[in-house]
Amino acid sequence: MKILKKIALVLVIVVVVVVGAAYLLPRNVHVERSAVIEAPQAPAFALVNGYRMFNKWSPWSDLDPNAQYTYEGPESGVGAKMTWSGDPKTIGSGSWEIVESRPHNLVKTALDLGNQGTAMAQFALEPEGAATRVTWSVDLDMGMSPVGRYMGMMMDGMIGPHYAKGLASLKGLAEGMPKADFADLTIEAVSVQPVTVEYVPAASPKDARAIGAAIGAAYATVQKFMTAQRLTQAAAPITINTRWDDTGYGFDAAIPVDRAPEKPVPDASPVQVKQTYGGKALKVVHMGPYRNMV
């Protein structure tokens, strides 16, 4: 009996020591990883300032291809929210919402993991020469439970590799985007109305004079067609970009008209008729040479 009492006493002492040691461990845990992206801040910021592109670089997207995702709020900035539901053994369920957005330097998010609690994560972007250092971090409150405190010791090893993987994918995606810094451009959300246009598909080399000549020739063709059809110009001429790559510039040279032609336009006609896009759009004003367009 004495031996049993001694064993019980030792076990009690061990439990007390283990529990007591747990409360010497920090309650709040910080995990972060960073990567240098060879791109300006603006493209990298655009990728982390919303969730529509998240699964293009997420470190968890391939863990559960059958997971369901829903999106709420604006597509980017404060209020953008993503909710997911997946395999409990891999990615589980939860939601992620942007609560603070400072172009093009910081995105703070609230991470709700349901029964597993909540956390605050953020992306900090800093210029590093012509590149951008992106630091992805999360702050966790491990609570008062001794088990939680010991779990806190493992968080860096559990979360850190995923963050490093995600940043590597983000780096590849951002570096594959056009190397343009649009941080000084104002982006405005607008609603546009569809209009009827007469247009000519055209193309040219990526040279200012060549582009100007191609646009002028295309508009002249459209004007002749409008005269023959007795149509009236209803608004300023527009170009609708269809291609901008190493091979050149492709576009539709279009002139809005007051109505469609009375007779259908033959498919063989160099001038065609269509309705432009109508609905929500992002408006950016670029003033400068064509060669700076992205």
Side-chain angles (χ1 to χ4, degrees), residues 126-157:
E126 299 177 300
E128 196 161 293
T132 301
R133 177 173 291 277
V134 179
T135 301
W136 189 4
S137 64
V138 64
D139 290 287
L140 304 158
D141 184 348
M142 305 311 297
M144 294 300 294
S145 167
V147 175
R149 296 294 181 93
Y150 280 110
M151 284 291 293
M153 298 175 63
M154 298 183 283
M155 286 296 104
D156 189 84

PDB file of all heavy atoms in Angstrom, residues 126-157:
ATOM      1  N   GLU A 126       6.452  45.089 -48.313  1.00  0.00           N
ATOM      2  CA  GLU A 126       7.448  46.155 -48.234  1.00  0.00           C
ATOM      3  C   GLU A 126       8.312  46.144 -49.493  1.00  0.00           C
ATOM      4  O   GLU A 126       8.716  45.069 -49.954  1.00  0.00           O
ATOM      5  CB  GLU A 126       8.347  45.967 -47.012  1.00  0.00           C
ATOM      6  CG  GLU A 126       7.618  45.997 -45.681  1.00  0.00           C
ATOM      7  CD  GLU A 126       8.568  45.718 -44.523  1.00  0.00           C
ATOM      8  OE1 GLU A 126       9.172  44.624 -44.503  1.00  0.00           O
ATOM      9  OE2 GLU A 126       8.706  46.594 -43.662  1.00  0.00           O
ATOM     10  N   PRO A 127       8.592  47.318 -50.049  1.00  0.00           N
ATOM     11  CA  PRO A 127       9.476  47.350 -51.219  1.00  0.00           C
ATOM     12  C   PRO A 127      10.890  46.944 -50.831  1.00  0.00           C
ATOM     13  O   PRO A 127      11.388  47.295 -49.760  1.00  0.00           O
ATOM     14  CB  PRO A 127       9.415  48.817 -51.654  1.00  0.00           C
ATOM     15  CG  PRO A 127       9.003  49.573 -50.437  1.00  0.00           C
ATOM     16  CD  PRO A 127       8.131  48.655 -49.652  1.00  0.00           C
ATOM     17  N   GLU A 128      11.509  46.189 -51.692  1.00  0.00           N
ATOM     18  CA  GLU A 128      12.894  45.768 -51.485  1.00  0.00           C
ATOM     19  C   GLU A 128      13.597  45.936 -52.831  1.00  0.00           C
ATOM     20  O   GLU A 128      13.676  45.009 -53.622  1.00  0.00           O
ATOM     21  CB  GLU A 128      12.944  44.329 -50.984  1.00  0.00           C
ATOM     22  CG  GLU A 128      14.293  43.957 -50.395  1.00  0.00           C
ATOM     23  CD  GLU A 128      14.214  42.721 -49.511  1.00  0.00           C
ATOM     24  OE1 GLU A 128      13.577  42.780 -48.435  1.00  0.00           O
ATOM     25  OE2 GLU A 128      14.811  41.703 -49.909  1.00  0.00           O
ATOM     26  N   GLY A 129      14.060  47.171 -53.075  1.00  0.00           N
ATOM     27  CA  GLY A 129      14.582  47.510 -54.387  1.00  0.00           C
ATOM     28  C   GLY A 129      13.424  47.538 -55.375  1.00  0.00           C
ATOM     29  O   GLY A 129      12.389  48.145 -55.128  1.00  0.00           O
ATOM     30  N   ALA A 130      13.589  46.844 -56.495  1.00  0.00           N
ATOM     31  CA  ALA A 130      12.505  46.743 -57.477  1.00  0.00           C
ATOM     32  C   ALA A 130      11.564  45.599 -57.145  1.00  0.00           C
ATOM     33  O   ALA A 130      10.564  45.398 -57.845  1.00  0.00           O
ATOM     34  CB  ALA A 130      13.098  46.537 -58.871  1.00  0.00           C
ATOM     35  N   ALA A 131      11.856  44.845 -56.076  1.00  0.00           N
ATOM     36  CA  ALA A 131      11.054  43.695 -55.683  1.00  0.00           C
ATOM     37  C   ALA A 131      10.170  44.051 -54.480  1.00  0.00           C
ATOM     38  O   ALA A 131      10.150  45.185 -54.005  1.00  0.00           O
ATOM     39  CB  ALA A 131      11.962  42.515 -55.353  1.00  0.00           C
ATOM     40  N   THR A 132       9.446  43.052 -53.986  1.00  0.00           N
ATOM     41  CA  THR A 132       8.543  43.234 -52.848  1.00  0.00           C
ATOM     42  C   THR A 132       8.722  42.077 -51.876  1.00  0.00           C
ATOM     43  O   THR A 132       8.680  40.913 -52.275  1.00  0.00           O
ATOM     44  CB  THR A 132       7.071  43.269 -53.305  1.00  0.00           C
ATOM     45  OG1 THR A 132       6.887  44.327 -54.236  1.00  0.00           O
ATOM     46  CG2 THR A 132       6.138  43.481 -52.117  1.00  0.00           C
ATOM     47  N   ARG A 133       8.943  42.410 -50.620  1.00  0.00           N
ATOM     48  CA  ARG A 133       8.980  41.371 -49.586  1.00  0.00           C
ATOM     49  C   ARG A 133       7.579  41.231 -48.993  1.00  0.00           C
ATOM     50  O   ARG A 133       7.015  42.187 -48.466  1.00  0.00           O
ATOM     51  CB  ARG A 133       9.977  41.706 -48.476  1.00  0.00           C
ATOM     52  CG  ARG A 133       9.986  40.657 -47.344  1.00  0.00           C
ATOM     53  CD  ARG A 133      11.089  40.899 -46.338  1.00  0.00           C
ATOM     54  NE  ARG A 133      12.388  40.652 -46.920  1.00  0.00           N
ATOM     55  CZ  ARG A 133      12.959  39.457 -47.033  1.00  0.00           C
ATOM     56  NH1 ARG A 133      12.315  38.375 -46.600  1.00  0.00           N
ATOM     57  NH2 ARG A 133      14.141  39.325 -47.570  1.00  0.00           N
ATOM     58  N   VAL A 134       7.024  40.024 -49.096  1.00  0.00           N
ATOM     59  CA  VAL A 134       5.704  39.743 -48.546  1.00  0.00           C
ATOM     60  C   VAL A 134       5.884  38.867 -47.308  1.00  0.00           C
ATOM     61  O   VAL A 134       6.490  37.796 -47.384  1.00  0.00           O
ATOM     62  CB  VAL A 134       4.804  39.024 -49.571  1.00  0.00           C
ATOM     63  CG1 VAL A 134       3.444  38.727 -48.958  1.00  0.00           C
ATOM     64  CG2 VAL A 134       4.649  39.863 -50.827  1.00  0.00           C
ATOM     65  N   THR A 135       5.350  39.341 -46.177  1.00  0.00           N
ATOM     66  CA  THR A 135       5.410  38.581 -44.933  1.00  0.00           C
ATOM     67  C   THR A 135       3.999  38.167 -44.549  1.00  0.00           C
ATOM     68  O   THR A 135       3.119  39.009 -44.373  1.00  0.00           O
ATOM     69  CB  THR A 135       6.031  39.409 -43.798  1.00  0.00           C
ATOM     70  OG1 THR A 135       7.362  39.811 -44.171  1.00  0.00           O
ATOM     71  CG2 THR A 135       6.100  38.601 -42.510  1.00  0.00           C
ATOM     72  N   TRP A 136       3.788  36.877 -44.455  1.00  0.00           N
ATOM     73  CA  TRP A 136       2.486  36.310 -44.084  1.00  0.00           C
ATOM     74  C   TRP A 136       2.602  35.849 -42.635  1.00  0.00           C
ATOM     75  O   TRP A 136       3.458  35.032 -42.307  1.00  0.00           O
ATOM     76  CB  TRP A 136       2.179  35.144 -45.002  1.00  0.00           C
ATOM     77  CG  TRP A 136       0.789  34.581 -44.885  1.00  0.00           C
ATOM     78  CD1 TRP A 136      -0.241  35.042 -44.115  1.00  0.00           C
ATOM     79  CD2 TRP A 136       0.280  33.444 -45.591  1.00  0.00           C
ATOM     80  NE1 TRP A 136      -1.355  34.273 -44.293  1.00  0.00           N
ATOM     81  CE2 TRP A 136      -1.075  33.286 -45.201  1.00  0.00           C
ATOM     82  CE3 TRP A 136       0.827  32.557 -46.521  1.00  0.00           C
ATOM     83  CZ2 TRP A 136      -1.872  32.260 -45.698  1.00  0.00           C
ATOM     84  CZ3 TRP A 136       0.029  31.544 -47.025  1.00  0.00           C
ATOM     85  CH2 TRP A 136      -1.306  31.396 -46.604  1.00  0.00           C
ATOM     86  N   SER A 137       1.750  36.363 -41.769  1.00  0.00           N
ATOM     87  CA  SER A 137       1.841  36.027 -40.351  1.00  0.00           C
ATOM     88  C   SER A 137       0.463  35.778 -39.758  1.00  0.00           C
ATOM     89  O   SER A 137      -0.564  36.169 -40.323  1.00  0.00           O
ATOM     90  CB  SER A 137       2.530  37.166 -39.584  1.00  0.00           C
ATOM     91  OG  SER A 137       1.752  38.357 -39.629  1.00  0.00           O
ATOM     92  N   VAL A 138       0.452  35.111 -38.606  1.00  0.00           N
ATOM     93  CA  VAL A 138      -0.783  34.860 -37.880  1.00  0.00           C
ATOM     94  C   VAL A 138      -0.499  34.954 -36.387  1.00  0.00           C
ATOM     95  O   VAL A 138       0.584  34.584 -35.924  1.00  0.00           O
ATOM     96  CB  VAL A 138      -1.365  33.466 -38.237  1.00  0.00           C
ATOM     97  CG1 VAL A 138      -0.428  32.348 -37.798  1.00  0.00           C
ATOM     98  CG2 VAL A 138      -2.748  33.282 -37.622  1.00  0.00           C
ATOM     99  N   ASP A 139      -1.458  35.493 -35.654  1.00  0.00           N
ATOM    100  CA  ASP A 139      -1.366  35.588 -34.197  1.00  0.00           C
ATOM    101  C   ASP A 139      -2.481  34.757 -33.591  1.00  0.00           C
ATOM    102  O   ASP A 139      -3.667  34.941 -33.920  1.00  0.00           O
ATOM    103  CB  ASP A 139      -1.478  37.048 -33.756  1.00  0.00           C
ATOM    104  CG  ASP A 139      -0.251  37.852 -34.151  1.00  0.00           C
ATOM    105  OD1 ASP A 139       0.803  37.662 -33.524  1.00  0.00           O
ATOM    106  OD2 ASP A 139      -0.352  38.639 -35.110  1.00  0.00           O
ATOM    107  N   LEU A 140      -2.103  33.845 -32.696  1.00  0.00           N
ATOM    108  CA  LEU A 140      -3.038  32.893 -32.113  1.00  0.00           C
ATOM    109  C   LEU A 140      -3.105  33.066 -30.606  1.00  0.00           C
ATOM    110  O   LEU A 140      -2.074  33.240 -29.940  1.00  0.00           O
ATOM    111  CB  LEU A 140      -2.604  31.463 -32.432  1.00  0.00           C
ATOM    112  CG  LEU A 140      -2.418  31.127 -33.921  1.00  0.00           C
ATOM    113  CD1 LEU A 140      -1.505  29.931 -34.068  1.00  0.00           C
ATOM    114  CD2 LEU A 140      -3.760  30.863 -34.566  1.00  0.00           C
ATOM    115  N   ASP A 141      -4.297  33.016 -30.050  1.00  0.00           N
ATOM    116  CA  ASP A 141      -4.512  33.006 -28.608  1.00  0.00           C
ATOM    117  C   ASP A 141      -4.785  31.569 -28.201  1.00  0.00           C
ATOM    118  O   ASP A 141      -5.824  31.003 -28.539  1.00  0.00           O
ATOM    119  CB  ASP A 141      -5.698  33.908 -28.250  1.00  0.00           C
ATOM    120  CG  ASP A 141      -5.914  34.011 -26.743  1.00  0.00           C
ATOM    121  OD1 ASP A 141      -5.307  33.219 -25.993  1.00  0.00           O
ATOM    122  OD2 ASP A 141      -6.710  34.872 -26.314  1.00  0.00           O
ATOM    123  N   MET A 142      -3.846  30.966 -27.474  1.00  0.00           N
ATOM    124  CA  MET A 142      -3.967  29.554 -27.121  1.00  0.00           C
ATOM    125  C   MET A 142      -4.817  29.338 -25.876  1.00  0.00           C
ATOM    126  O   MET A 142      -5.018  28.197 -25.458  1.00  0.00           O
ATOM    127  CB  MET A 142      -2.573  28.942 -26.925  1.00  0.00           C
ATOM    128  CG  MET A 142      -1.631  29.125 -28.114  1.00  0.00           C
ATOM    129  SD  MET A 142      -2.350  28.661 -29.716  1.00  0.00           S
ATOM    130  CE  MET A 142      -2.649  26.922 -29.471  1.00  0.00           C
ATOM    131  N   GLY A 143      -5.324  30.412 -25.278  1.00  0.00           N
ATOM    132  CA  GLY A 143      -6.253  30.298 -24.150  1.00  0.00           C
ATOM    133  C   GLY A 143      -5.581  29.871 -22.855  1.00  0.00           C
ATOM    134  O   GLY A 143      -4.362  29.876 -22.711  1.00  0.00           O
ATOM    135  N   MET A 144      -6.412  29.461 -21.896  1.00  0.00           N
ATOM    136  CA  MET A 144      -5.931  29.103 -20.560  1.00  0.00           C
ATOM    137  C   MET A 144      -5.710  27.602 -20.398  1.00  0.00           C
ATOM    138  O   MET A 144      -5.180  27.167 -19.378  1.00  0.00           O
ATOM    139  CB  MET A 144      -6.941  29.586 -19.518  1.00  0.00           C
ATOM    140  CG  MET A 144      -7.067  31.100 -19.428  1.00  0.00           C
ATOM    141  SD  MET A 144      -5.484  31.871 -18.990  1.00  0.00           S
ATOM    142  CE  MET A 144      -5.272  31.241 -17.321  1.00  0.00           C
ATOM    143  N   SER A 145      -6.105  26.820 -21.369  1.00  0.00           N
ATOM    144  CA  SER A 145      -5.946  25.374 -21.251  1.00  0.00           C
ATOM    145  C   SER A 145      -4.470  24.982 -21.319  1.00  0.00           C
ATOM    146  O   SER A 145      -3.740  25.441 -22.199  1.00  0.00           O
ATOM    147  CB  SER A 145      -6.710  24.679 -22.373  1.00  0.00           C
ATOM    148  OG  SER A 145      -6.333  23.319 -22.470  1.00  0.00           O
ATOM    149  N   PRO A 146      -4.008  24.112 -20.398  1.00  0.00           N
ATOM    150  CA  PRO A 146      -2.621  23.634 -20.475  1.00  0.00           C
ATOM    151  C   PRO A 146      -2.324  22.942 -21.804  1.00  0.00           C
ATOM    152  O   PRO A 146      -1.240  23.085 -22.359  1.00  0.00           O
ATOM    153  CB  PRO A 146      -2.523  22.642 -19.307  1.00  0.00           C
ATOM    154  CG  PRO A 146      -3.585  23.072 -18.351  1.00  0.00           C
ATOM    155  CD  PRO A 146      -4.704  23.585 -19.207  1.00  0.00           C
ATOM    156  N   VAL A 147      -3.329  22.198 -22.327  1.00  0.00           N
ATOM    157  CA  VAL A 147      -3.138  21.527 -23.608  1.00  0.00           C
ATOM    158  C   VAL A 147      -2.900  22.572 -24.697  1.00  0.00           C
ATOM    159  O   VAL A 147      -2.032  22.420 -25.563  1.00  0.00           O
ATOM    160  CB  VAL A 147      -4.358  20.647 -23.951  1.00  0.00           C
ATOM    161  CG1 VAL A 147      -4.203  20.048 -25.352  1.00  0.00           C
ATOM    162  CG2 VAL A 147      -4.537  19.552 -22.920  1.00  0.00           C
ATOM    163  N   GLY A 148      -3.693  23.652 -24.682  1.00  0.00           N
ATOM    164  CA  GLY A 148      -3.529  24.719 -25.659  1.00  0.00           C
ATOM    165  C   GLY A 148      -2.151  25.347 -25.574  1.00  0.00           C
ATOM    166  O   GLY A 148      -1.527  25.654 -26.601  1.00  0.00           O
ATOM    167  N   ARG A 149      -1.670  25.549 -24.354  1.00  0.00           N
ATOM    168  CA  ARG A 149      -0.341  26.162 -24.194  1.00  0.00           C
ATOM    169  C   ARG A 149       0.754  25.278 -24.795  1.00  0.00           C
ATOM    170  O   ARG A 149       1.669  25.768 -25.451  1.00  0.00           O
ATOM    171  CB  ARG A 149      -0.053  26.402 -22.703  1.00  0.00           C
ATOM    172  CG  ARG A 149      -0.987  27.400 -22.033  1.00  0.00           C
ATOM    173  CD  ARG A 149      -0.815  28.803 -22.570  1.00  0.00           C
ATOM    174  NE  ARG A 149      -1.685  29.753 -21.930  1.00  0.00           N
ATOM    175  CZ  ARG A 149      -1.341  30.478 -20.863  1.00  0.00           C
ATOM    176  NH1 ARG A 149      -0.136  30.360 -20.329  1.00  0.00           N
ATOM    177  NH2 ARG A 149      -2.204  31.328 -20.333  1.00  0.00           N
ATOM    178  N   TYR A 150       0.658  23.967 -24.566  1.00  0.00           N
ATOM    179  CA  TYR A 150       1.652  23.070 -25.155  1.00  0.00           C
ATOM    180  C   TYR A 150       1.496  22.995 -26.677  1.00  0.00           C
ATOM    181  O   TYR A 150       2.480  22.876 -27.409  1.00  0.00           O
ATOM    182  CB  TYR A 150       1.543  21.676 -24.532  1.00  0.00           C
ATOM    183  CG  TYR A 150       2.208  21.582 -23.182  1.00  0.00           C
ATOM    184  CD1 TYR A 150       1.458  21.441 -22.020  1.00  0.00           C
ATOM    185  CD2 TYR A 150       3.597  21.641 -23.066  1.00  0.00           C
ATOM    186  CE1 TYR A 150       2.068  21.359 -20.770  1.00  0.00           C
ATOM    187  CE2 TYR A 150       4.218  21.559 -21.830  1.00  0.00           C
ATOM    188  CZ  TYR A 150       3.446  21.428 -20.680  1.00  0.00           C
ATOM    189  OH  TYR A 150       4.058  21.361 -19.456  1.00  0.00           O
ATOM    190  N   MET A 151       0.241  23.066 -27.154  1.00  0.00           N
ATOM    191  CA  MET A 151       0.019  23.090 -28.602  1.00  0.00           C
ATOM    192  C   MET A 151       0.681  24.317 -29.225  1.00  0.00           C
ATOM    193  O   MET A 151       1.167  24.278 -30.354  1.00  0.00           O
ATOM    194  CB  MET A 151      -1.475  23.111 -28.902  1.00  0.00           C
ATOM    195  CG  MET A 151      -2.165  21.773 -28.721  1.00  0.00           C
ATOM    196  SD  MET A 151      -1.653  20.572 -29.984  1.00  0.00           S
ATOM    197  CE  MET A 151      -2.355  21.320 -31.448  1.00  0.00           C
ATOM    198  N   GLY A 152       0.710  25.401 -28.466  1.00  0.00           N
ATOM    199  CA  GLY A 152       1.323  26.630 -28.967  1.00  0.00           C
ATOM    200  C   GLY A 152       2.783  26.441 -29.338  1.00  0.00           C
ATOM    201  O   GLY A 152       3.291  27.091 -30.261  1.00  0.00           O
ATOM    202  N   MET A 153       3.467  25.527 -28.651  1.00  0.00           N
ATOM    203  CA  MET A 153       4.867  25.270 -28.945  1.00  0.00           C
ATOM    204  C   MET A 153       5.040  24.631 -30.326  1.00  0.00           C
ATOM    205  O   MET A 153       6.114  24.718 -30.929  1.00  0.00           O
ATOM    206  CB  MET A 153       5.468  24.337 -27.875  1.00  0.00           C
ATOM    207  CG  MET A 153       5.469  24.912 -26.472  1.00  0.00           C
ATOM    208  SD  MET A 153       6.069  23.698 -25.265  1.00  0.00           S
ATOM    209  CE  MET A 153       7.743  23.442 -25.825  1.00  0.00           C
ATOM    210  N   MET A 154       3.975  24.004 -30.842  1.00  0.00           N
ATOM    211  CA  MET A 154       4.076  23.289 -32.122  1.00  0.00           C
ATOM    212  C   MET A 154       3.523  24.089 -33.298  1.00  0.00           C
ATOM    213  O   MET A 154       3.604  23.639 -34.441  1.00  0.00           O
ATOM    214  CB  MET A 154       3.322  21.959 -32.014  1.00  0.00           C
ATOM    215  CG  MET A 154       3.903  21.019 -30.967  1.00  0.00           C
ATOM    216  SD  MET A 154       3.037  19.422 -30.925  1.00  0.00           S
ATOM    217  CE  MET A 154       1.532  19.881 -30.041  1.00  0.00           C
ATOM    218  N   MET A 155       2.947  25.263 -33.023  1.00  0.00           N
ATOM    219  CA  MET A 155       2.281  26.007 -34.082  1.00  0.00           C
ATOM    220  C   MET A 155       3.212  26.424 -35.215  1.00  0.00           C
ATOM    221  O   MET A 155       2.850  26.372 -36.392  1.00  0.00           O
ATOM    222  CB  MET A 155       1.594  27.250 -33.495  1.00  0.00           C
ATOM    223  CG  MET A 155       0.330  26.969 -32.702  1.00  0.00           C
ATOM    224  SD  MET A 155      -1.002  26.249 -33.718  1.00  0.00           S
ATOM    225  CE  MET A 155      -0.933  24.548 -33.207  1.00  0.00           C
ATOM    226  N   ASP A 156       4.426  26.831 -34.873  1.00  0.00           N
ATOM    227  CA  ASP A 156       5.351  27.258 -35.920  1.00  0.00           C
ATOM    228  C   ASP A 156       5.648  26.113 -36.882  1.00  0.00           C
ATOM    229  O   ASP A 156       5.668  26.299 -38.107  1.00  0.00           O
ATOM    230  CB  ASP A 156       6.649  27.785 -35.308  1.00  0.00           C
ATOM    231  CG  ASP A 156       7.537  28.442 -36.353  1.00  0.00           C
ATOM    232  OD1 ASP A 156       7.320  29.637 -36.643  1.00  0.00           O
ATOM    233  OD2 ASP A 156       8.446  27.771 -36.883  1.00  0.00           O
ATOM    234  N   GLY A 157       5.849  24.926 -36.319  1.00  0.00           N
ATOM    235  CA  GLY A 157       6.133  23.770 -37.163  1.00  0.00           C
ATOM    236  C   GLY A 157       4.922  23.288 -37.931  1.00  0.00           C
ATOM    237  O   GLY A 157       5.050  22.692 -39.004  1.00  0.00           O
TER     238      GLY A 157
END
